[in-house]
Amino acid sequence: MIPASTTPDNRCDEIHLMKRIAQQDQSALSQLYDRYARVIYSVAHKSLGSVEECEEVVLDVFAQVWRTASRYDPARSRVDTWLFMIARSRVLDRLRGVQRRGKVTEAVMAPDFSHTQAPPSPSEHAEIAERRTQVLNALQQLPPEQQQVLEMSYYQGLTQREIAAQTGMALGTVKTRIRLGLEKLRSALHAESWDSV
């Protein structure tokens, strides 16, 4: 799949989109997302192979674009090149995280152990159950609107467009709520893991 920015006109358009994003224009971010989310997902999937991890990479990339668009320099790289550099960095972060978490996280991500090599040991089972409880508790602390979109995405397996269609929310609102919900979940789980040390 070839990114849309291969023509000079598209490159100029994307530089303009970046300027609008730098001014906190959500519709510009949505346009850039629509152009690149699928290809970034595909690139991430080749390394990660997990739907959840790949979706998080895509969300992380566009959250970083939102935060750092003002630092984008068209003289240094094209927009697509910049996006793929961010995506590569996020994929490497995820791979390192997967290696650190090892078998326990793998089991949490796939609670029906039928396709894993060996069932978890009793201590791994206890860790999985504890982690699952922590995740559910952290999820309960989120505002209901963020809880709803995360549950639809991760438990029902719906795409962001499907969530928007089912709920009647704007796609940008769904994306924002998922991003904010994931950030709050990460913070809550990180704080809880430090509290338990």
Side-chain angles (χ1 to χ4, degrees), residues 22-34:
Q23 297 167 351
Q24 305 293 283
D25 183 337
Q26 286 191 351
S27 67
L29 182 67
S30 290
Q31 287 176 47
L32 196 67
Y33 180 94
D34 289 342

Side-chain angles (χ1 to χ4, degrees), residues 107-125:
V108 169
M109 296 303 286
D112 82 356
F113 302 107
S114 58
H115 68 281
T116 56
Q117 299 255 331
S121 69
S123 65
E124 287 173 332
H125 222 308

Side-chain angles (χ1 to χ4, degrees), residues 3 36 39-40 43 61 79-89:
Y36 286 103
V39 72
I40 289 171
V43 168
V61 167
V79 172
D80 60 344
T81 304
W82 186 65
L83 288 172
F84 293 127
M85 285 178 3
I86 295 171
R88 180 180 177 275
S89 179

